[in-house]
Amino acid sequence: GGAGAAEAAPRPCPKMLLVPHAGFIYSGPTAAAAYTLLAPWRERIRRVVLLGPGHRVAVNGLAAPMTAAFETPLGRVAIDRDALAELMPMPFVGLSETAHEHEHSLEVQLPFLQAVLAPGFTLLPLVVGRASEAEVAQVIDTLWGGDETLVLISSDLSHYHPYDEAQAIDRETIDRVLGLDGRIGHEQACGATPLRGALKVARARGLQARLLDLRNSGDTAGDRSRVVGYAAVA
């Protein structure tokens, strides 16, 4: 009984999160706004499918790593071989060690996941290169699963505009994301390709988007003459 019983039912487990991927001093607070949501589901979420853009190596299609695990100072996270096996028949999914070797857009998410989820979850990190919205959507659909699977889209927003200009650009981008509108280009979001694929799936499956945080590096640790935008969306 008591007051707790009368409270509204808890929100459903978030299925997809849009998170930023800059250095922690720049985008960490925004990322944390997304990962905090997962705390009630820390035992439930057992598989994380993580899609982000490649920054250093040109990739055709989507590239999975060849290693058995990713490691941070917080420990190791096993790569989900079963999930990867489901994707390997797709001609646009391949394996690449070089695509992952220096790819911060994926690695920077790991400490958050390790802090908020119970140990033992598995990860399928995919570098998204030259791929279509439909190909990304097919990958997400194939691994959709239930509450045990979380889909993460790693993307920053606009890059290197003055503060006020960036705020206007990013607000327009986020309004599109919240409307599940996939008309987003790489100038608006460096992870536009995985993001468009995710929005396609969200539309088809009747998901609703909720904004958790929107700011830029001028709000956190950078000067305001050239900023990078960050958002957290569930």
Side-chain angles (χ1 to χ4, degrees):
E7 285 173 16
R11 287 183 184 274
C13 181
K15 186 62 192 182
M16 290 201 282
L17 295 175
L18 168 64
V19 286
H21 58 232
F24 294 138
I25 59 167
Y26 298 106
S27 66
T30 299
Y35 287 108
T36 302
L37 280 192
L38 304 180
W41 314 97
R42 60 176 273 111
E43 306 283 345
R44 182 90 57 92
I45 297 168
R46 298 286 77 202
R47 178 172 74 172
V48 178
V49 179
L50 169 56
L51 298 96
H55 287 80
R56 294 164 185 265
V57 176
V59 171
N60 275 320
L62 292 82
M66 299 167 82
T67 47
F70 274 15
E71 189 170 26
T72 77
L74 299 179
R76 287 187 166 203
V77 178
I79 301 301
D80 197 310
R81 310 312 295 187
D82 293 341
L84 183 53
E86 285 191 67
L87 301 185
M88 289 320 293
M90 299 177 188
F92 48 85
V93 177
L95 297 174
S96 170
E97 210 46 48
T98 52
H100 283 271
E101 201 168 6
H102 298 292
E103 192 41 68
H104 68 276
S105 77
L106 304 176
E107 291 174 3
V108 78
Q109 310 306 333
L110 283 172
F112 291 104
L113 290 166
Q114 289 171 296
V116 76
L117 297 183
F121 70 91
T122 61
L123 179 72
L124 184 57
L126 296 164
V127 175
V128 181
R130 285 188 289 269
S132 70
E133 188 179 307
E135 288 168 345
V136 173
Q138 188 181 339
V139 165
I140 294 173
D141 264 328
T142 299
L143 300 179
W144 191 253
D147 280 352
E148 83 295 330
T149 299
L150 172 73
V151 179
L152 284 181
I153 306 298
S154 173
S155 180
D156 292 339
L157 300 180
S158 67
H159 283 57
Y160 310 137
H161 296 285
Y163 184 87
D164 294 342
E165 199 178 307
Q167 279 192 319
I169 295 167
D170 293 343
R171 183 71 243 187
E172 185 178 337
T173 303
I174 285 306
D175 284 343
R176 288 191 175 177
V177 171
L178 296 177
L180 308 183
D181 178 349
R183 292 174 299 169
I184 295 165
H186 290 93
E187 294 298 307
Q188 287 119 347
C190 57
T193 306
L195 180 55
R196 285 196 299 260
L199 292 173
K200 180 179 170 71
V201 176
R203 287 193 305 274
R205 290 179 177 265
L207 268 59
Q208 288 181 306
R210 180 160 63 100
L211 179 62
L212 306 168
D213 191 50
L214 176 61
R215 62 179 95 186
N216 64 50
S217 56
D219 297 312
T220 50
D223 72 64
R224 294 195 165 195
S225 60
R226 293 170 83 242
V227 304
V228 178
Y230 314 118
V233 176

